[in-house]
Amino acid sequence: MDEVQAAEFELLEELMEVETAEKKQETLRKYIEKMETNITFPIPDFENDLQWLNTALPLSLTKELEGKLVVMDFFTYCCVNCLHILPDLEQLEELYKIQDGVVVLGVHSAKFDNEKVLSNILSAVLRYNINHPVVNDGEATLWNKLRIACWPTLLVVSPTGKYLRAFVGEGHKESLEEFLKLALDYYRQKGMIKTHSLPISLEKDKLPATPLKFPGKVAVSGDGKLIAIADSGHDQVLICSKDGIVQSVVGGGKKGLQDGSFKDSQFNSPQGMVFVGDDLYVADTENHVVRKVGLKSGSVTTVVGTGVQGQDKEGGNTGTQQEISSPWDLDLGRSIGSESKDILFIAMAGTHQIWVYFLQDGKWYKGRHHKARTCLRFAGSGSEENRNNSYPARAAFAQPSGLAVSTHPDVNSVFVADSESSTVRSVTLKDGAVKGFVGGEKDPMNLFAYGDADGVGIEAKLQHPLGVALVTDNKGPLLVADSYNHKIKSVDIISKKCETWAAPSSGSSEKGNNSIPIDLNEPGGLCVDQVHQLLYIADTNNHVIRTVDLATSAVSQLPILFPNPDEADGTKEKQVKDFVKPSTVVIDLPPVHIAPATKVDVRLHIPLPDGHHFTDEAPSSWLMVCKDEANTILNIEFDTNGRIESSEEQSLMSFTLPSDLDLQKYVHLYIKCRVFYCDDSNVCRLKENVYKQVIFFKDMAEAIASQSVLLNFTF
């Protein structure tokens, strides 16, 4: 191994001295030949008991991978730097197919205990759309044998299973592609490249569709009427009512970066959001931008970022002139001396910093003034550390991923879920001083001080927290999405006492533990509806949003109820929002002829499709309106609304129209049925039908012999 590392070091020194592209390629060719013929260091093969994903069979360097140039990606799925190179690997897989002789292979070497579990790695593979084989090197066996030092590391293995070259960290896309091209040419000329395929079996092809896919964050409007969900796995944002009815789908569900209408816009793994008046700001994480969603205008606009991952750690430019890196969460605060909330705080996970974006002209600490749309660093040097400091530029974060701003005079801080240090930190708004809050340890370089323990301040232990939210506006307590412990922790913001607030049902009944039982799986985001005192939890790996009533501790799942699909294709004959308006299109039923005093029995039959059921969380209902021939709503003294209990035929009402209607020629009976139903995979829909029944009146002589009339509405 020492000989290999010496050869690599010599190569790097030679490349620093070359002056032309031709000389560089000649140097690389000589290096490849040297590594293949003169230096013997075979890569240890994978052990037999390792777990694999995206392949039907375990792979071996001496069998399936023989004759292939293998690019081993040593990664851990919590690492934002590892996420940054996934697009590079995806482009590499498009450039070279397996049959061309190049194979990308993920070697997952966990940092956290939670990341050693195969099911959690599977969720990460699905979440980040990894389409190449991945092996779980849970005990870091191969990592240690090859002396891998950090994540990510890309190791190129020759077709004969020998060590060729390592690329450490991110930002090596061009160098890697150049090296692979030269290596592929070399081994092809030697007749050592094989064109066979591999037993690829993608995990994403084995799962049913769900309404949400790895929701990362959730936000609530100030009045509690709207819920925004970062449907990260579907690359879109959903705007829902409080009962889960989808009002708007923002983004076309296709990965990309495009402004425009809700339908035409595109996102790439959106995360944190915050409502600001009639707008919703979104951290479009993997596009490296912040977007503004106009709730009234129905349009999406990029307000910060160039769309390319930036390395700037200072900022100060305006809007889309300012490059940023992996914004993960947003929250709203005030500039110094301001009465309005005019500062957007950004958890800039990619550069391990906290940034600010000025929504209006504002004054900042140290008496500095900034124009609206200015975006700059607030706290964090850019080093990945757990370093607290009274000077914000000297402090350091480790992948900050969640924000909660308190402007209460006694607090006046932004709380930060600092995921890679497994801490929650605080930044004082008046001067930017960064302080420890809970978790971690005193050594700023130790990013492995994680665990699962209640306690005060540094005595408490967390594992990769991703979200924070204040229960009582400004004052707390602070709730923490302790993601890799699958728990919610509660922290008193004065005493720093941290306690388990919600835990999996198997652990919530432990001695002395009175936590709420919720079976979470890596929850990524939290928000509190201050009006209704509800907590919303983005239960990421379970693909759902949980709600907790803070007064009663009652837990439920927010149903995701999409509008009638008929409306999406422009057909509105079966979708009516306000059926009492003259312009409303309704479903006409065959007319009936009765006498005014005749008893009318209205029945409803709703045959749901096979495999579907009613949604308990959102009761289905009906509403009736009766109008005369002059289009005037009649005041009828009986129940005109109620719940739809089942798909079986049920009686909605029995009534007799008033006898004083004998001077009218007919009436219009309108019944609107709103039905919430789901299939077995919990893909839910909302369907609304409006029926119009015209009732003509017979003369009184015929009425004497009339019988009851049954109006049977089939949904």
Side-chain angles (χ1 to χ4, degrees):
M1 189 65 191
D2 292 337
E3 189 180 10
V4 168
Q5 292 178 335
E8 281 193 295
F9 184 74
E10 182 180 345
L11 171 65
L12 294 176
E13 286 189 323
E14 292 178 4
L15 291 176
M16 291 177 64
E17 297 178 0
V18 299
E19 297 179 353
T20 65
E22 291 77 9
K23 182 64 176 177
K24 179 182 179 182
Q25 291 182 2
E26 180 184 348
T27 301
L28 290 172
R29 289 190 190 97
K30 290 181 178 179
Y31 171 82
I32 293 169
E33 185 171 11
K34 175 182 177 181
M35 296 298 287
E36 180 61 39
T37 59
N38 296 341
I39 296 179
T40 303
F41 185 78
I43 300 295
D45 206 353
F46 304 105
E47 296 183 355
N48 294 330
D49 59 348
L50 296 183
Q51 301 165 314
W52 290 79
L53 296 169
N54 280 341
T55 175
L57 299 170
L59 303 180
S60 168
L61 291 172
T62 60
K63 296 178 182 178
E64 294 84 3
L65 297 174
E66 184 185 5
K68 306 290 187 183
L69 275 168
V70 180
V71 180
M72 290 186 179
D73 173 25
F74 286 85
F75 77 109
T76 184
Y77 72 79
C78 67
C79 166
V80 71
N81 308 94
C82 300
L83 302 185
H84 286 164
I85 71 168
L86 288 179
D88 299 347
L89 297 178
E90 186 176 349
Q91 291 181 30
L92 188 64
E93 291 174 280
E94 293 176 357
L95 183 63
Y96 297 111
K97 304 302 181 186
I98 292 175
Q99 291 79 1
D100 296 328
V102 177
V103 175
V104 177
L105 174 64
V107 182
H108 190 273
S109 304
K111 171 185 176 179
F112 293 98
D113 290 342
N114 180 73
E115 294 176 315
K116 296 179 180 181
V117 180
L118 184 67
S119 61
N120 296 335
I121 302 173
L122 169 60
S123 292
V125 165
L126 295 169
R127 187 187 320 155
Y128 300 120
N129 197 35
I130 296 174
N131 294 321
H132 50 255
V134 172
V135 61
N136 180 13
D137 185 27
E139 300 306 318
T141 303
L142 193 58
W143 169 285
N144 291 323
K145 287 180 179 179
L146 296 173
R147 299 183 190 175
I148 304 297
C150 69
W151 304 278
T153 293
L154 297 175
L155 177 62
V156 182
V157 182
S158 78
T160 58
K162 294 180 180 179
Y163 186 113
L164 280 184
R165 189 180 177 188
F167 296 84
V168 179
E170 53 182 296
H172 302 292
K173 178 178 181 293
E174 290 76 15
S175 298
L176 174 63
E177 289 183 357
E178 181 182 30
F179 185 80
L180 285 175
K181 182 179 184 303
L182 295 172
L184 197 58
D185 289 342
Y186 171 83
Y187 286 107
R188 278 175 174 167
Q189 291 174 7
K190 298 288 185 180
M192 300 169 69
I193 294 295
K194 297 183 178 180
T195 60
H196 62 276
S197 60
L198 295 178
I200 300 298
S201 178
L202 297 182
E203 307 300 331
K204 67 180 183 181
D205 296 335
K206 306 172 187 177
L207 298 178
T210 52
L212 298 176
K213 185 178 181 182
F214 298 107
K217 299 287 186 182
V218 60
V220 63
S221 60
D223 58 9
K225 293 182 179 179
L226 293 179
I227 311 300
I229 301 170
D231 191 8
S232 308
H234 287 138
D235 300 303
Q236 62 190 13
V237 174
L238 303 184
I239 311 295
C240 303
S241 64
K242 187 173 175 293
D243 54 5
I245 300 172
V246 177
Q247 308 290 312
S248 301
V249 178
V250 186
K254 181 180 180 181
K255 192 184 302 294
L257 175 55
Q258 181 172 316
D259 290 345
S261 68
F262 286 179
K263 182 178 180 180
D264 294 334
S265 61
Q266 294 178 344
F267 293 79
N268 190 346
S269 190
Q271 291 286 338
M273 305 158 295
V274 63
F275 284 92
V276 183
D278 292 328
D279 298 317
L280 176 75
Y281 286 83
V282 181
D284 193 2
T285 303
E286 294 189 24
N287 276 327
H288 310 289
V289 296
V290 176
R291 319 288 287 279
K292 182 174 74 172
V293 176
L295 301 178
K296 286 190 174 180
S297 65
S299 62
V300 177
T301 308
T302 300
V303 295
V304 184
T306 64
V308 178
Q309 182 190 344
Q311 301 300 324
D312 187 357
K313 294 180 174 62
E314 297 288 338
N317 294 317
T318 301
T320 53
Q321 302 301 311
Q322 178 59 59
E323 63 179 34
I324 59 176
S325 178
S326 297
W328 208 277
D329 200 15
L330 306 173
D331 205 358
L332 192 62
R334 298 186 179 96
S335 58
I336 295 175
S338 171
E339 296 298 326
S340 63
K341 293 185 176 181
D342 53 9
I343 292 282
L344 200 64
F345 288 89
I346 307 172
M348 204 70 73
T351 55
H352 313 290
Q353 297 172 308
I354 308 301
W355 283 47
V356 290
Y357 174 73
F358 287 80
L359 300 173
Q360 305 166 6
D361 294 354
K363 181 180 178 182
W364 201 225
Y365 73 103
K366 293 187 177 181
R368 298 169 182 167
H369 291 263
H370 295 285
K371 293 289 187 181
R373 302 184 63 241
T374 302
C375 188
L376 71 158
R377 182 266 305 273
F378 175 33
S381 65
S383 298
E384 189 175 6
E385 300 171 350
N386 177 22
R387 188 176 298 277
N388 300 312
N389 201 291
S390 297
Y391 298 93
R394 296 180 184 177
F397 296 89
Q399 205 171 308
S401 302
L403 298 175
V405 176
S406 172
T407 54
H408 188 274
D410 296 335
V411 182
N412 199 37
S413 299
V414 53
F415 294 97
V416 182
D418 199 37
S419 60
E420 284 297 291
S421 67
S422 293
T423 66
V424 175
R425 324 270 291 282
S426 69
V427 187
T428 305
L429 296 179
K430 65 178 181 179
D431 56 13
V434 179
K435 304 174 183 178
F437 190 57
V438 293
E441 72 157 3
K442 293 181 179 180
D443 181 0
M445 304 300 293
N446 184 5
L447 300 183
F448 288 80
Y450 65 86
D452 183 9
D454 293 350
V456 177
I458 203 170
E459 296 175 356
K461 291 294 178 279
L462 309 171
Q463 187 178 185
H464 199 72
L466 288 176
V468 283
L470 289 159
V471 171
T472 304
D473 194 15
N474 292 330
K475 295 182 180 181
L478 185 77
L479 295 181
V480 182
D482 192 6
S483 301
Y484 283 5
N485 284 323
H486 315 292
K487 294 180 178 181
I488 308 297
K489 304 288 181 67
S490 176
V491 188
D492 183 273
I493 60 177
I494 303 301
S495 69
K496 299 184 182 179
K497 184 178 181 180
C498 177
E499 298 179 301
T500 299
W501 188 81
S505 54
S506 59
S508 61
S509 59
E510 295 174 1
K511 184 177 180 180
N513 190 340
N514 296 318
S515 60
I516 302 170
I518 313 177
D519 291 319
L520 302 170
N521 191 336
E522 294 189 10
L526 304 171
C527 73
V528 174
D529 175 0
Q530 303 287 349
V531 176
H532 304 99
Q533 281 295 284
L534 292 173
L535 172 70
Y536 291 91
I537 305 171
D539 191 359
T540 304
N541 285 358
N542 283 326
H543 312 291
V544 298
I545 304 298
R546 310 281 186 189
T547 62
V548 183
D549 188 315
L550 296 175
T552 65
S553 298
V555 180
S556 60
Q557 178 180 324
L558 183 72
I560 305 301
L561 305 164
F562 288 93
N564 189 339
D566 293 333
E567 186 178 24
D569 61 11
T571 304
K572 295 187 177 181
E573 292 182 358
K574 297 183 178 180
Q575 177 77 16
V576 184
K577 292 184 177 179
D578 189 352
F579 64 87
V580 299
K581 293 182 179 179
S583 60
T584 297
V585 179
V586 298
I587 301 171
D588 290 313
L589 298 174
V592 297
H593 298 264
I594 65 172
T598 303
K599 182 180 179 182
V600 179
D601 184 16
V602 180
R603 290 184 171 272
L604 181 67
H605 182 213
I606 305 181
L608 294 179
D610 291 341
H612 287 72
H613 58 274
F614 280 96
T615 307
D616 295 333
E617 292 86 353
S620 300
S621 60
W622 61 271
L623 175 66
M624 191 198 80
V625 168
C626 189
K627 293 184 177 183
D628 63 19
E629 57 184 308
N631 207 37
T632 300
I633 297 178
L634 300 176
N635 184 18
I636 302 176
E637 296 181 357
F638 49 78
D639 291 337
T640 56
N641 62 84
R643 290 185 56 170
I644 300 173
E645 302 295 344
S646 72
S647 61
E648 302 298 325
E649 182 178 296
Q650 70 176 89
S651 177
L652 299 187
M653 68 183 91
S654 294
F655 64 91
T656 302
L657 290 171
S659 59
D660 58 2
L661 292 176
D662 58 348
L663 298 178
Q664 304 285 343
K665 295 181 180 178
Y666 58 85
V667 295
H668 291 164
L669 189 68
Y670 294 86
I671 293 186
K672 176 166 67 174
C673 302
R674 169 176 278 197
V675 176
F676 301 99
Y677 62 104
C678 305
D679 61 19
D680 292 338
S681 63
N682 281 328
V683 175
C684 298
R685 297 287 182 185
L686 159 64
K687 194 168 186 179
E688 229 176 50
N689 279 358
V690 180
Y691 302 93
K692 181 177 72 173
Q693 178 72 68
V694 181
I695 301 176
F696 289 97
F697 298 117
K698 304 177 182 180
D699 58 33
M700 293 303 296
E702 296 181 12
I704 297 174
S706 294
Q707 303 294 321
S708 297
V709 175
L710 174 66
L711 306 181
N712 193 13
F713 296 79
T714 302
F715 190 64

